[in-house]
Amino acid sequence: MSEDEPFDDWAKRYLARREARIGELRALPMDGPPGRGAHVNPKAPRFLMRWTGYEWAAEAVVDDYAAAQRLLHGIVQPGPEPGVPGRPLPKPTGRHRKPPPS
C-alpha cells in the first residue's frame, strides 16, 4: 500500500487477489517440514491442500511427487500406470520443437 493510495482501494485489490486463489491446489510432503524442495524425497507421500480463501485445507493424500504432479497439472506420464486420468503432455513449441519428419 502506498502513501497516496486510499485504504478502500487497497482493500479491494487485496480481497480480489485472495478471492482469485480460492480453489488453488498445492502438494506438501508428509515427512519433514513444509517448504522443502520436491526433489528432496520424491518417493514420500504428499498431502494435497486446497486454498479455501482463509486457509489451506487437506484435500487428499497421494503416493508420491509424480502422483501429486499428475493431479495438480493433469499430466499423463508414460509408465506402468495405465488409465491415469488427465490430459496428454503439450506439444513442444518454439526453438526446442523437433523438425517435422521429411
Side-chain angles (χ1 to χ4, degrees):
M1 185 167 118
S2 67
E3 299 270 336
D4 56 343
E5 180 181 24
F7 177 76
D8 290 339
D9 293 345
W10 175 86
K12 286 177 189 173
R13 282 189 308 108
Y14 172 79
L15 292 174
R17 281 193 315 265
R18 193 170 83 178
E19 297 265 333
R21 293 184 64 197
I22 291 177
E24 182 180 320
L25 285 171
R26 72 176 180 181
L28 296 174
M30 290 176 70
D31 68 334
R36 287 178 30 191
H39 66 283
V40 174
N41 192 357
K43 300 280 187 209
R46 301 288 202 266
F47 284 118
L48 282 181
M49 311 290 282
R50 186 175 299 273
W51 180 247
T52 65
Y54 298 98
E55 66 181 354
W56 289 97
E59 181 85 8
V61 175
V62 293
D63 293 333
D64 57 12
Y65 175 72
Q69 291 303 301
R70 284 193 297 274
L71 287 172
L72 290 175
H73 303 293
I75 297 173
V76 175
Q77 300 280 341
E81 301 175 13
V84 175
R87 61 181 189 270
L89 293 172
K91 293 181 180 178
T93 59
R95 64 187 178 124
H96 301 289
R97 181 178 56 220
K98 293 180 182 177
S102 41

